[in-house]
Amino acid sequence: QGLFEQQQFDEAAESFVQAYEARKFAAFLYNAALSYEKARNWDKAVELYKRYLEEQPNVGEQERKDIEERIRVFEEEIKRKATAPPPDAVDGGPPPTDEPSDDVKNLTEAKIRGLIVIESRPQGAYIYLDDKKGDPLGRTPWNGTLDGEHTIFIEARGYKPRERKISAVVDKVVILDFTLAEEDY
């Protein structure tokens, strides 16, 4: 994330891919795709955005639409660059440019994501975000991205529930590790 902030996008992308290889967290794929996007490496960006969507099946509807739009625009950009006349063409149209198309320029600004990892002993505990009124966020082990401050509730049958407040930030990996105590009978 530091390399990304220093605008060393190729190096940031490689670091995110290495992080993903060490721990299979899909957020690393997203960050690598965004880094390649910033480096104007559309092929790699498309490849990693697609992998992110495959490996993060519970992506929200709006997020999925946004990423699919990025993929569509970058695939068109790849085709546009491939069909551009060579630089030494005499009458093949306007000279090629390294400037991205207006479609690329008009995409909404995307930001790298921090990562939240929630683990528990025993595994399989239900995770609730901010309250226990709605459906669970998921079950442990879980990883994903969150923004802002939240209260995480963890519960499993036969164990005392636990909760913890967190502040999710884009430049950190936050690992929450809960050990649940058995209920008293």
Side-chain angles (χ1 to χ4, degrees), residues 31-50:
N31 288 347
L34 181 58
S35 298
Y36 280 125
E37 173 184 332
K38 295 288 189 180
R40 296 184 179 178
N41 186 335
W42 316 125
D43 291 311
K44 287 283 197 179
V46 165
E47 173 191 337
L48 291 173
Y49 279 133
K50 286 180 177 180

Side-chain angles (χ1 to χ4, degrees), residues 42 46 69-83 101 103-104:
W42 316 125
V46 165
E69 175 66 6
R70 293 185 112 66
I71 291 169
R72 183 192 68 73
V73 167
F74 297 143
E75 286 177 336
E76 286 179 8
E77 188 73 0
I78 292 165
K79 288 178 191 171
R80 184 180 74 82
K81 294 279 188 183
T83 58
S101 68
D103 287 343
V104 171

Side-chain angles (χ1 to χ4, degrees), residues 122 154-162 180-185:
I154 303 289
E155 62 181 37
R157 187 177 185 151
Y159 293 86
K160 293 180 183 179
R162 301 272 316 271
L180 303 177
E182 290 187 43
E183 288 182 330
D184 297 328
Y185 291 96

Side-chain angles (χ1 to χ4, degrees), residues 3-4 7-18 35-36:
L3 291 169
F4 186 93
Q7 298 184 359
Q8 296 177 14
F9 299 120
D10 286 317
E11 295 86 351
E14 291 170 18
S15 293
F16 285 127
V17 169
Q18 289 173 355
S35 298
Y36 280 125

Side-chain angles (χ1 to χ4, degrees), residues 6 23 30 45 55 76 88 111 119 126 143:
Q6 295 169 17
R23 300 277 313 255
Y30 178 89
E55 296 189 27
E76 286 179 8
D88 56 356
K111 298 178 181 176
E119 300 174 336
Y126 288 96
N143 72 84

Side-chain angles (χ1 to χ4, degrees), residues 53-178:
L53 290 176
E54 288 172 9
E55 296 189 27
Q56 191 72 20
N58 60 346
V59 168
E61 185 178 333
Q62 187 58 49
E63 179 185 4
R64 180 172 293 282
K65 284 180 184 178
D66 291 345
I67 292 172
E68 287 172 347
E69 175 66 6
R70 293 185 112 66
I71 291 169
R72 183 192 68 73
V73 167
F74 297 143
E75 286 177 336
E76 286 179 8
E77 188 73 0
I78 292 165
K79 288 178 191 171
R80 184 180 74 82
K81 294 279 188 183
T83 58
D88 56 356
V90 175
D91 56 352
T97 175
D98 285 337
E99 276 300 304
S101 68
D102 287 341
D103 287 343
V104 171
K105 291 177 184 176
N106 293 331
L107 286 171
T108 58
E109 183 67 25
K111 298 178 181 176
I112 61 170
R113 299 178 175 176
L115 176 65
I116 305 289
V117 178
I118 303 173
E119 300 174 336
S120 72
R121 282 177 296 285
Q123 288 188 5
Y126 288 96
I127 305 165
Y128 294 90
L129 186 63
D130 297 323
D131 61 44
K132 294 191 258 180
K133 294 178 184 172
D135 291 334
L137 176 65
R139 297 180 84 166
T140 59
W142 179 90
N143 72 84
T145 58
L146 299 171
D147 289 325
E149 295 186 10
H150 297 281
T151 302
I152 305 293
F153 296 91
I154 303 289
E155 62 181 37
R157 187 177 185 151
Y159 293 86
K160 293 180 183 179
R162 301 272 316 271
E163 68 181 74
R164 188 174 300 158
K165 292 184 186 278
I166 63 161
S167 291
V169 291
V170 298
D171 63 345
K172 299 223 187 287
V173 174
V174 176
I175 300 175
L176 301 176
D177 191 6
F178 293 89

